[in-house]
Amino acid sequence: MCITLFLIPLSGEETHVIPDILELREQWNQSAAAEILKLAGVTEAVLRKAIGAFMIEVIINHGPKARRFCDKDPLSLLWMEYIHEIFPNSKFILLLRDGRATVHSIITRQIPVARFDTTRPEVHYERLVLDSRTEMRKILQFIDVEWSEDVLHHEKFVEKYVKLSPGEYSSSQVRMPIHREALSNWFDFYSFDVRSRMHQLAPMLAKLGYNPYDNRPNYTDLLYKHSLRDRK
């Protein structure tokens, strides 16, 4: 990715353990032990409180103290509704990107991924890159944070306020300023056969606002369409 958002005074690495504890809770509920837990008084309410306390301890203590805290473990989205039950005042931002560019990034950088589903898009990656100021104003307003020019120059705060882990695939990209290279570096990546069947292979493209028949899209069109929608 060519842009990373730092909306808090201090930002750290992905914890990796928060999705694990959420998945473990799901296993408890689906296993034969679920009834035994209930009989022992370990109800869903007890588990929710315990898991919430675990998440708070990890998020707060795995980095320096800050006024606002953010968990950017991607797989946490699998349990977004459950997390919102634990933290009713929490807010979620989903960054959408053209799936063809995402797959290109995953393959060329050899990133291991797991499947997850979500149905509540908030921000398009392409709009964020092409019109960063407008999109960032919307995001900051959404999370009740005052505007700051700093969010347009995140690379200046790497190491000073932003901790990066060498074990994360995106760390090298975070050090870079906002740029547009990733919008088009996938254009010639797919074979003719894949391109001709893209609407069948990736039906979600159209649902998320992308044209599966356009293999060299002009994303300013996406920007224009959403601008018209926002005015309505």
Side-chain angles (χ1 to χ4, degrees), residues 51-79:
I51 292 173
F54 176 89
M55 292 176 65
I56 288 175
E57 288 297 318
V58 171
I59 293 174
I60 291 179
N61 294 318
H62 92 286
K65 292 183 178 180
R67 291 186 301 107
R68 298 174 184 271
F69 294 95
C70 173
D71 171 39
K72 64 186 186 73
D73 290 290
L75 291 181
S76 293
L77 279 176
L78 278 168
W79 299 276

Side-chain angles (χ1 to χ4, degrees), residues 207-227:
K207 292 183 179 180
L208 296 177
Y210 300 97
N211 184 354
Y213 300 98
D214 187 353
N215 295 301
R216 301 181 71 85
N218 180 355
Y219 291 116
T220 55
D221 293 339
L222 180 67
L223 193 68
Y224 176 70
K225 290 178 182 178
H226 281 267
S227 176

Side-chain angles (χ1 to χ4, degrees), residues 158-187:
V158 173
E159 304 301 345
K160 185 177 181 181
Y161 296 114
V162 179
K163 294 173 57 184
L164 297 178
S165 168
E168 292 180 20
Y169 291 89
S170 61
S171 291
S172 61
Q173 297 293 314
V174 175
R175 299 179 184 277
M176 302 174 63
I178 298 172
H179 63 86
R180 302 182 179 186
E181 181 179 326
L183 296 181
S184 59
N185 61 7
W186 63 270
F187 282 1

Side-chain angles (χ1 to χ4, degrees), residues 66-118:
R67 291 186 301 107
R68 298 174 184 271
F69 294 95
C70 173
D71 171 39
K72 64 186 186 73
D73 290 290
L75 291 181
S76 293
L77 279 176
L78 278 168
W79 299 276
M80 185 166 59
E81 293 184 0
Y82 181 68
I83 293 174
H84 194 260
E85 290 179 12
I86 298 175
F87 305 108
N89 294 325
S90 59
K91 294 187 176 182
F92 301 84
I93 297 174
L94 174 62
L95 181 61
L96 285 179
R97 185 182 183 186
D98 191 317
R100 294 164 293 190
T102 302
V103 171
H104 169 263
S105 176
I106 290 171
I107 293 176
T108 56
R109 295 163 61 197
Q110 299 182 345
I111 301 175
V113 295
R115 174 182 175 274
F116 65 88
D117 300 311
T118 183

